[in-house]
Amino acid sequence: HDREIRVLHEEQVMLRAELERVLQLMTTVLLPREKTLHDMLAKLNEAYERATAHLHESSSDLGKQAFFMGQSPGGSMLPVMFDPMQDCEAELVRIRELLSHPLASPESMRRQRRAAFEGAALGGFGGGNVG
């Protein structure tokens, strides 16, 4: 039983270290790069809209009317592009919150397991295997 607790604790330490490494990577590399890409995509979209508007203006009066009535192609894309960014930032905040909790010690894991075992024995669960 003690070996199982030690293995669980070592696994928890390893997983926390990996999660901290991923959080650092996402915060310093991935998120800034994604923001830059989204900015570039927004600028490209704006340039496309300007080019499309110019084409419509020079080809027909109908294109001018559609543009001035607010029916520019792709006008609603900008808010959609930033939702995944906000989701990513919220997930990073959630991971930071998770990592802010103290690491469970092997002794506290033993006490918790012993209490669960005693509760199951007192609760009369019919002699099922624990762990």
Side-chain angles (χ1 to χ4, degrees):
H1 175 72
D2 286 338
R3 184 178 61 81
E4 184 178 322
I5 294 290
R6 189 178 69 249
V7 168
L8 287 173
H9 182 263
E10 290 170 359
E11 182 180 2
Q12 184 181 18
V13 168
M14 180 192 67
L15 289 173
R16 285 179 66 98
E18 179 64 13
L19 194 55
E20 287 173 354
R21 187 187 71 78
V22 168
L23 179 65
Q24 179 70 22
L25 180 69
M26 290 185 74
T27 303
T28 59
V29 177
L30 181 76
L31 198 56
R33 183 182 69 199
E34 288 296 314
K35 285 181 180 180
T36 301
L37 288 174
H38 281 278
D39 290 343
M40 290 172 61
L41 188 57
K43 289 176 184 175
L44 182 63
N45 192 37
E46 288 173 12
Y48 171 76
E49 286 181 16
R50 284 193 306 270
T52 303
H54 179 71
L55 179 65
H56 282 261
E57 282 181 28
S58 60
S59 65
S60 72
D61 289 337
L62 185 59
K64 284 183 184 179
Q65 290 173 356
F67 181 76
F68 288 122
M69 292 174 68
Q71 298 175 1
S72 175
S76 63
M77 285 298 293
L78 196 57
V80 173
M81 288 192 306
F82 288 108
D83 285 343
M85 274 308 213
Q86 291 171 350
D87 292 344
C88 181
E89 289 172 343
E91 186 63 17
L92 293 176
V93 168
R94 190 186 73 78
I95 291 172
R96 276 192 195 97
E97 171 65 26
L98 181 75
L99 289 173
S100 72
H101 297 291
L103 181 64
S105 69
E107 184 56 37
S108 68
M109 292 169 72
R110 280 188 204 94
R111 283 194 303 267
Q112 187 177 18
R113 184 154 173 106
R114 191 175 307 123
F117 178 74
E118 290 170 359
L122 293 175
F125 286 113
N129 290 343
V130 175

